[in-house]
Every structure is written in structure tokens, then in C-alpha cells.
Amino acid sequence: MNIDQENFEVEVIYALPTQQKRIQIKVAPGTTCIEAVKQSEIAAFFPEIDLENVKLGIFSRLVKNHEVLVPGQRVEIYRPLIADPKDVRRKRAEKAKDEGRINKKTGGKV
């Protein structure tokens, strides 16, 4: 067996506001992100994870589920957003206008 063909370790992580789970697994070369998540069986701990539509990342960088892993990477499972950041920002700006904290024409601070 060549060194290039040896299994290597990666980490799969999922976090909630109150808890997190980190699982280290050994995978074969050519393993994709979604295969590593399935191999880790993290969905047994968190049944709300939808493996068909899950968004994944490697060290805070969004990746495609079929991206091939390299040794030492950490696959992060992202939760769906509760609110759209653009909508939240827009509502906050409208509230500031209504309260007179910003100029209604320019949008700058008063």
C-alpha cells in the first residue's frame, strides 16, 4: 500500500447555540465532504440534519458537498439561517429613520 493510498483523519463538526459535537474519523483518499458526514454518523446525534440539502464548509469556507477532502480538514455542517441578514439590516434602518436617529434623505446619522 502506497503512502498516497493510506487513510487520513478529518473532523466533522456541528454546533447548536447550546451544544456542539466534534467527531474525528479516518477516511480514504478521494472521500467527499458529504461522504465524510455520512461516515461520521453525526445525524444520529442531531436528527434535524437533512443530509440531502445540508450546506457544508471547510474552515468557515462554504464548499460543494462533492468536494474531495485532504488530510487534516474540518468539515462544518451549517444550520439554515433563521432570518435573512439583508431583511434584518433593512428593518433596522427603517426603525432608525422612524425614531429620527438618521437623516431621512441621506441615510446618514443626525
Side-chain angles (χ1 to χ4, degrees):
M1 181 180 279
N2 285 343
I3 257 185
D4 294 335
Q5 297 175 342
E6 289 184 18
N7 291 350
F8 55 88
E9 282 193 6
V10 296
E11 187 174 48
V12 177
I13 187 166
Y14 183 70
L16 295 172
T18 58
Q19 71 183 69
Q20 72 176 10
K21 185 77 173 169
R22 295 169 47 179
I23 300 174
Q24 287 201 343
I25 57 171
K26 283 197 173 240
V27 296
T31 300
T32 63
C33 293
I34 194 67
E35 289 170 345
V37 170
K38 290 176 181 176
Q39 185 179 332
S40 73
E41 298 180 353
I42 201 163
F45 297 98
F46 302 100
E48 68 271 13
I49 297 174
D50 178 11
L51 294 176
E52 300 301 318
N53 301 311
V54 69
K55 297 224 184 276
L56 301 175
I58 295 176
F59 294 118
S60 301
R61 178 180 57 88
L62 191 64
V63 296
K64 300 211 182 297
N65 290 0
H66 61 272
E67 186 166 320
V68 177
L69 293 168
V70 297
Q73 287 186 320
R74 179 182 67 212
V75 180
E76 301 160 342
I77 302 169
Y78 297 136
R79 294 179 282 134
L81 291 176
I82 296 172
D84 181 20
K86 289 181 183 178
D87 288 339
V88 171
R89 196 174 309 117
R90 188 175 9 264
K91 288 177 184 175
R92 190 170 49 237
E94 289 171 4
K95 183 179 176 186
K97 274 186 202 174
D98 294 342
E99 293 175 354
R101 293 185 285 131
I102 61 173
N103 185 310
K104 292 185 182 194
K105 287 185 180 178
T106 64
K109 291 185 179 182
V110 178

